Amino acid sequence: MEHNVILQSVITCPNCGHQKEETMPTDACQYFYECENCKSRLKPKKGHCCVFCSYGTVQCPSIQIQQKRGHSPLR
Protein backbone atom coordinates (compact mmCIF):
# COMPACT_ATOMS: atom_id res chain seq x y z
CA MET A 1 0.00 0.00 0.00
CA GLU A 2 1.32 3.44 -0.86
CA HIS A 3 2.00 6.17 1.67
CA ASN A 4 -0.66 8.63 2.82
CA VAL A 5 -3.66 6.43 2.10
CA ILE A 6 -6.47 7.16 4.55
CA LEU A 7 -8.11 4.01 5.90
CA GLN A 8 -10.81 5.54 8.12
CA SER A 9 -14.08 6.77 6.65
CA VAL A 10 -17.41 7.77 8.21
CA ILE A 11 -20.33 6.10 6.44
CA THR A 12 -23.66 7.91 6.57
CA CYS A 13 -26.79 5.85 5.98
CA PRO A 14 -28.95 7.58 3.34
CA ASN A 15 -32.09 6.09 4.89
CA CYS A 16 -31.80 7.08 8.57
CA GLY A 17 -28.75 9.39 8.70
CA HIS A 18 -26.84 7.17 11.17
CA GLN A 19 -23.08 7.67 10.97
CA LYS A 20 -20.28 5.31 11.91
CA GLU A 21 -16.54 5.42 11.43
CA GLU A 22 -15.24 2.29 9.73
CA THR A 23 -11.85 1.00 8.61
CA MET A 24 -11.77 0.39 4.88
CA PRO A 25 -10.35 -2.86 3.53
CA THR A 26 -7.13 -2.50 1.54
CA ASP A 27 -7.42 -5.74 -0.43
CA ALA A 28 -10.90 -5.38 -1.96
CA CYS A 29 -13.81 -3.01 -2.47
CA GLN A 30 -16.67 -3.37 0.01
CA TYR A 31 -19.83 -3.75 -2.03
CA PHE A 32 -22.38 -4.17 0.80
CA TYR A 33 -22.75 -2.50 4.19
CA GLU A 34 -25.49 -2.97 6.78
CA CYS A 35 -26.49 0.10 8.80
CA GLU A 36 -26.33 -0.89 12.45
CA ASN A 37 -29.20 1.50 13.26
CA CYS A 38 -31.95 0.78 10.70
CA LYS A 39 -30.48 -2.47 9.28
CA SER A 40 -30.68 -1.19 5.68
CA ARG A 41 -28.34 -3.00 3.33
CA LEU A 42 -26.40 -0.37 1.41
CA LYS A 43 -24.75 -0.95 -1.93
CA PRO A 44 -22.76 1.46 -4.12
CA LYS A 45 -24.47 4.09 -6.23
CA LYS A 46 -24.31 3.52 -9.98
CA GLY A 47 -20.78 4.19 -11.23
CA HIS A 48 -19.17 3.81 -7.80
CA CYS A 49 -16.97 0.87 -6.89
CA CYS A 50 -17.93 0.53 -3.21
CA VAL A 51 -20.06 1.82 -0.34
CA PHE A 52 -17.23 4.06 0.91
CA CYS A 53 -17.14 5.93 -2.40
CA SER A 54 -20.92 6.36 -2.27
CA TYR A 55 -21.64 7.05 1.40
CA GLY A 56 -18.27 7.65 3.10
CA THR A 57 -16.36 10.80 3.97
CA VAL A 58 -13.24 9.34 2.32
CA GLN A 59 -13.01 7.38 -0.92
CA CYS A 60 -11.67 3.83 -0.81
CA PRO A 61 -7.91 3.13 -0.85
CA SER A 62 -7.85 1.95 -4.49
CA ILE A 63 -9.43 5.21 -5.69
CA GLN A 64 -7.11 7.27 -3.49
CA ILE A 65 -4.10 5.53 -5.05
CA GLN A 66 -5.40 6.02 -8.60
CA GLN A 67 -5.90 9.74 -7.93
CA LYS A 68 -2.39 10.09 -6.48
CA ARG A 69 -1.04 8.53 -9.67
CA GLY A 70 -2.82 11.18 -11.72
CA HIS A 71 -5.72 9.08 -12.94
CA SER A 72 -9.26 10.40 -12.83
CA PRO A 73 -11.30 7.26 -12.06
CA LEU A 74 -14.98 6.92 -11.50
CA ARG A 75 -15.68 6.77 -7.81
Side-chain angles (χ1 to χ4, degrees):
M1 191 60 48
E2 294 187 19
H3 299 291
N4 300 321
V5 173
I6 299 167
L7 298 179
Q8 298 301 119
S9 183
V10 176
I11 290 187
T12 301
C13 177
N15 298 311
C16 72
H18 180 74
Q19 296 183 318
K20 184 171 182 194
E21 184 174 76
E22 298 284 359
T23 300
M24 295 183 278
T26 58
D27 58 347
C29 289
Q30 185 169 335
Y31 196 77
F32 294 109
Y33 179 83
E34 183 177 300
C35 174
E36 69 179 14
N37 185 57
C38 71
K39 305 301 181 198
S40 291
R41 184 174 174 181
L42 308 181
K43 64 180 187 176
K45 294 177 183 176
K46 186 176 181 175
H48 290 191
C49 64
C50 70
V51 293
F52 292 103
C53 287
S54 294
Y55 306 107
T57 54
V58 178
Q59 294 178 356
C60 70
S62 62
I63 297 298
Q64 292 179 54
I65 291 168
Q66 288 179 29
Q67 289 177 336
K68 288 175 194 264
R69 291 181 179 162
H71 300 286
S72 182
L74 291 175
R75 296 178 78 187

